[in-house]
Amino acid sequence: MNWDWNAVRDFMPHFWDGLLVTLKALALGSLVSFALGLVWALLMRTPTRWVRWPVGAVTEFVRNTPLLVQLFFLFYVLPEWGLAFSALTTGVLAIGLHYSTYTMQVYGAGIDAVPAGQWEAATALSLPRHRTWSVVILPQAVRRVVPALGNYVIAMLKDTPLLMTITVLDMLGRARLFSQQEFRFTEPLTVIGVAFVLVSYLASVLLRTLERRLVR
């Protein structure tokens, strides 16, 4: 294999720029998916079916639509309706919205796993509904679902290369641009492949550490 370390050296400044964009998209997309997923989960537990049905229909549609299609819709169609965002913002919103439909199910499982006695104790203490959720139920539910949420963080990381299709210069976008300019494909693609493995591993280590702290 014709490996050129000079090509690696030349690519590294572009790599660091792409890595920063990838991590930014991952962090912001994760925050959106976690927050919006919790909102969906709580709305699905409202007693009013006129709230549950639309939320269920929207989340089911988003979950069963490819993320790439959603990216194209948000980036190319919404501007025709007067809603235009930057490429990175569009990517963050698309990833966050798409994965919120999965984190919604994770939160739901965590809420269902809270023992019934906790609900009964809150009722016996005459706690208001919002206090029951914020102080009793959600802290216990979130503690149970951290490992599953961590798996979706890694899944989101693996999907960030899709942002290249809407002109976001993440790691893959930088590698592709460098390869086309320098006619060197092996080195930049290998570098970002190793980077994805390392970032995924570090994320899994951090999540396991957080899980142990929550258990204690």
Side-chain angles (χ1 to χ4, degrees):
M1 183 176 62
N2 185 20
W3 180 269
D4 187 355
W5 285 106
N6 290 326
V8 175
R9 182 198 61 197
D10 294 339
F11 173 63
M12 290 310 294
H14 305 280
F15 165 75
W16 294 119
D17 292 338
L19 177 62
L20 180 61
V21 173
T22 296
L23 295 179
K24 185 184 298 185
L26 176 63
L28 296 177
S30 298
L31 290 176
V32 172
S33 68
F34 293 163
L36 194 54
L38 182 58
V39 171
W40 297 142
L42 295 177
L43 289 177
M44 287 297 291
R45 279 166 168 71
T46 59
T48 307
R49 63 181 181 180
W50 301 112
V51 174
R52 295 197 310 271
W53 287 1
V55 170
V58 169
T59 55
E60 191 69 20
F61 176 80
V62 172
R63 186 165 52 248
N64 289 285
T65 308
L67 175 57
L68 185 59
V69 174
Q70 296 166 15
L71 278 169
F72 284 171
F73 181 86
L74 293 177
F75 190 69
Y76 293 109
V77 177
L78 284 188
E80 297 182 1
W81 299 348
L83 294 174
F85 304 101
S86 68
L88 180 58
T89 301
T90 301
V92 168
L93 293 176
I95 289 178
L97 175 62
H98 184 79
Y99 277 94
S100 70
T101 61
Y102 295 97
T103 58
M104 174 192 75
Q105 296 179 319
V106 172
Y107 284 125
I111 292 170
D112 292 337
V114 176
Q118 299 295 307
W119 295 92
E120 296 169 357
T123 302
L125 293 172
S126 301
L127 290 179
R129 186 172 180 83
H130 71 277
R131 290 282 292 173
T132 299
W133 278 103
S134 62
V135 177
V136 180
I137 304 303
L138 289 181
Q140 298 183 63
V142 171
R143 196 174 294 125
R144 287 173 165 83
V145 302
V146 165
L149 292 178
N151 291 335
Y152 284 118
V153 171
I154 296 175
M156 279 184 268
L157 172 64
K158 295 176 182 178
D159 276 343
T160 54
L162 291 176
L163 302 187
M164 182 188 68
T165 61
I166 58 170
T167 72
V168 175
L169 289 177
D170 65 332
M171 285 195 293
L172 183 59
R174 292 285 182 178
R176 182 185 180 188
L177 187 61
F178 179 86
S179 299
Q180 291 173 340
Q181 292 173 343
E182 304 294 332
F183 300 102
R184 301 293 307 187
F185 295 89
T186 302
E187 292 84 0
L189 292 176
T190 302
V191 169
I192 67 168
V194 172
F196 272 111
V197 172
L198 292 177
V199 173
S200 297
Y201 176 74
L202 291 175
S204 64
V205 170
L206 291 175
L207 289 166
R208 285 198 298 269
T209 302
L210 177 60
E211 180 183 358
R212 288 195 294 269
R213 290 179 63 88
L214 289 175
V215 169
R216 289 199 300 267

